[in-house]
Amino acid sequence: MFKRSFVLFQKASSRMPPVELQYKNMLKDPKGKYNAFKKVHLPNRTWPNKEITKAPRWLSTDLRDGNQSLPDPMSVAEKKEYFHKLIDLGFKEIEVSFPSASQTDFDFTRYAVENAPEDVSIQVLTQSRDHLVRRTVESVKGAKRATIHTYLATSDVFRDVVFNMSQDEAIAKAIETTKLVKSLTKDDPTMQDTIWSLEFSPECFSDTPVEFAVEICEAVKNVWEPTVENPIIFNLPATVEVASPNVYADQIEYFCTHITEREKVCVSVHPHNDRGCGVAAAELGVLAGADRVEGCLFGNGERTGNVDLVTVALNMYTQGVSPNLDFSDIESVIEIAERCNKINIHPRAPYGGSLVVCAFSGSHQDAIKKGFTKREARNEVAWKIPYLPLDPKDIGRSYEAVIRVNSQSGKGGAAWIILRTLGLDLPRQMQVAFSGVVQDSADKLGRELKTEEIAELFKQEYIATSDAPIQALDHYELAKKNDKGDKQIDAGLAINGQNVPIVGSGNGLISAFVDGISKKFNTKFEVANYSEHSLGSGSSVKAATYIQLKYLNREGEKAATWGCGIDGDVSQASLQAIVSVLNKLVAANEISI
């Protein structure tokens, strides 16, 4: 029927006139107003065949670029706390402020200088103006390591629209500023206790002709006179992301292969995220030859943010490359970033999002559960779990957060939670049955079920409680009945507090007991499925038994239900599982007591 209806729809739709899209503000043809970015001519590019094999140098600019982008900037106390967290994570280069912008920024820079470990370089940003440069250098006086970061817009549009400056004038300005910084720092005899570095950014590098970017950086380098031991830093920022990441990589490789004295140069990338490709741009930039990556934790920054350093670092980690940054306790990093930035991490943000290690889909949950089961059985070192590229425990998250259950969840999700919380490894058919119970509950509540709620549902559904009307007594006798191997059981049940004898026969304990209850309750019971496993270890080990009984319900239809028993004795656990089924049938008015 569906197939025929679909064919009829196809025929009808083929006769419909084409729908003309109605544009309001977007242009039907954006060409002319927006033009494709002109690519770099780099026919012999090498970056596509490379791979990342070691961590780059990292620069956190959370306290400068990140803070600068906040509607409500950090307080001094928050900046101090954030600063120490960055050090704890392993950052060795931290851009702390724009010290000439305010007394607050200047004072915080002094705090950073006085509290930074010896191997951490304090970086400060300044515009290319004489009095601002002097104020900036003054802010880091006495630092063990300091980097003065100067910048100058080099793109055609910025030079034309903002500064009305020619390329030659831009080069002259960059040289002038570099000479001033040099005279105030490494050439000043009173400043020799500090290891001075210079970072120069041809701002809007991503929109700058690469030949000019190389030319202006060459001029700056010649003035600064870097060494192999202390190279000059050229930051090549995608100040505005104007093209796809492969174009940015071509620009980086062109620069790396055309700048002279490459061994005296640290190429740094600072991708913004206007096109949503900041992480990809950083990774391809490293493939193209970049030595350093600048960004913020979780990508905070102006407009759509800058590159997310957590993602770049953990991407490397999942490829077997140590990032030299420690995110073992990512929850504490999230907490301080959210509180100090007053911006929440998106629940689906890579690695940091609250939902990224959680599966709600039934098929996803089943695959994850099977992955963990096989990993434990094989005792594997290599991480091979479906849907989880990173072991949550590596970043301080528990496995309990991996699978969360709502009405979309299947058998694997609920079974995973029961395994992790109660230690019970449910047989597959029982998983199917229990998932129906969980879905019904989730539908009624209209929300996700908590772990403790799922565990409690299982106990109510499958394990007899101490106040249930039927209780298994802890003594029985099993004796040989005849030469055919049949056995007879003499056992008992406590029904509403009264001891009731149970006598039955079969080829073993369970079949004999089931025969006995069939006679007692005048209902034919059969064992449909049986499974058991040990629970715990050592002297406290117990047996967990799962039994499914078939029976005829009051309408005369075949039905089946499960029970679970837990006891130090496997036989007693089996009897308890059967008794839990009886209690369910009493509650459902299927049998009478």
Side-chain angles (χ1 to χ4, degrees), residues 78 154 245 304 306 350 387 393 398 431 506 513 530 585:
E78 288 169 337
T154 53
T304 56
N306 56 24
Y387 297 111
K393 282 194 172 180
S398 69
Q431 293 179 27
F513 189 70
Y530 171 88
L585 298 182

Side-chain angles (χ1 to χ4, degrees), residues 201-215:
S201 294
E203 192 187 7
C204 298
F205 166 82
S206 53
D207 196 26
T208 297
V210 288
E211 301 84 359
F212 178 56
V214 171
E215 184 181 358

Side-chain angles (χ1 to χ4, degrees), residues 86-272:
L86 292 171
I87 291 172
D88 291 343
L89 293 175
F91 284 96
K92 302 301 181 185
E93 298 177 70
I94 303 173
E95 190 167 66
V96 298
S97 70
F98 210 134
S100 63
S102 68
Q103 187 62 44
T104 299
D105 269 13
F106 186 95
D107 291 343
F108 175 71
T109 305
R110 294 307 307 161
Y111 175 85
V113 166
E114 292 162 7
N115 289 274
E118 289 190 7
D119 60 346
V120 172
S121 181
I122 300 302
Q123 180 165 307
V124 282
L125 182 68
T126 179
Q127 292 175 315
S128 298
R129 297 181 182 177
D130 186 288
H131 68 289
L132 300 181
V133 171
R134 292 180 184 277
R135 178 71 168 165
T136 300
V137 172
E138 182 68 22
S139 73
V140 289
K141 187 175 182 179
K144 301 173 184 68
R145 296 173 177 269
T147 301
I148 306 299
H149 180 188
T150 67
Y151 67 98
L152 192 68
T154 53
S155 70
D156 292 343
V157 66
F158 265 75
R159 286 187 300 97
D160 175 48
V161 174
V162 181
F163 299 110
N164 192 27
M165 182 183 289
S166 69
Q167 288 188 350
D168 287 343
E169 288 171 328
I171 292 173
K173 186 64 176 176
I175 289 173
E176 175 190 325
T177 302
T178 304
K179 286 180 177 179
L180 177 61
V181 173
K182 187 181 179 187
S183 68
L184 295 173
T185 58
K186 68 176 187 175
D187 282 356
D188 185 338
T190 68
M191 294 289 209
Q192 299 308 301
D193 290 338
T194 299
I195 299 174
W196 294 101
S197 296
L198 176 70
E199 174 170 337
F200 173 70
S201 294
E203 192 187 7
C204 298
F205 166 82
S206 53
D207 196 26
T208 297
V210 288
E211 301 84 359
F212 178 56
V214 171
E215 184 181 358
I216 195 169
C217 288
E218 283 284 4
V220 169
K221 177 169 64 70
N222 291 337
V223 172
W224 184 253
E225 298 180 312
T227 64
V228 174
E229 295 74 24
N230 189 5
I232 189 171
I233 302 165
F234 287 132
N235 175 37
L236 309 179
T239 309
V240 179
E241 193 175 31
V242 296
S244 51
N246 61 298
V247 174
Y248 186 60
D250 281 351
Q251 293 171 318
I252 299 299
E253 181 164 335
Y254 182 97
F255 185 94
C256 290
T257 54
H258 285 75
I259 194 77
T260 64
E261 298 182 295
R262 179 65 179 87
E263 71 281 1
K264 298 179 182 179
V265 172
C266 171
V267 174
S268 188
V269 291
H270 182 126
H272 277 253

Side-chain angles (χ1 to χ4, degrees), residues 359-466:
F360 292 100
S361 162
S363 60
H364 288 204
Q365 292 175 344
D366 186 58
I368 291 170
K369 180 179 180 296
K370 288 175 179 175
F372 273 99
T373 300
K374 286 197 174 181
R375 176 178 172 78
E376 291 168 2
R378 294 171 177 172
N379 195 26
E380 291 179 329
V381 174
W383 182 254
K384 300 176 184 177
I385 302 293
Y387 297 111
L388 291 178
L390 172 69
D391 185 348
K393 282 194 172 180
D394 286 0
I395 54 174
R397 285 177 162 164
S398 69
Y399 290 149
E400 283 65 35
V402 169
I403 290 178
R404 290 163 59 175
V405 175
N406 59 18
S407 59
Q408 301 180 87
S409 304
K411 66 183 188 304
W416 163 273
I417 288 176
I418 295 304
L419 177 62
R420 290 291 166 179
T421 56
L422 302 179
L424 301 176
D425 189 5
L426 309 186
R428 185 181 183 282
Q429 288 181 288
M430 192 178 191
Q431 293 179 27
V432 175
F434 183 50
S435 70
V437 174
V438 172
Q439 285 178 339
D440 287 345
S441 180
D443 277 333
K444 289 175 183 176
L445 294 171
R447 61 169 173 81
E448 173 191 349
L449 295 184
K450 299 176 182 177
T451 296
E452 55 269 23
E453 291 175 322
I454 295 170
E456 189 59 33
L457 267 180
F458 182 85
K459 293 175 184 178
Q460 292 173 3
E461 187 73 14
Y462 299 114
I463 299 177
T465 59
S466 58

Side-chain angles (χ1 to χ4, degrees), residues 532-543:
E532 58 93 7
H533 64 79
S534 59
L535 185 63
S537 60
S539 58
S540 61
V541 69
K542 292 184 177 180

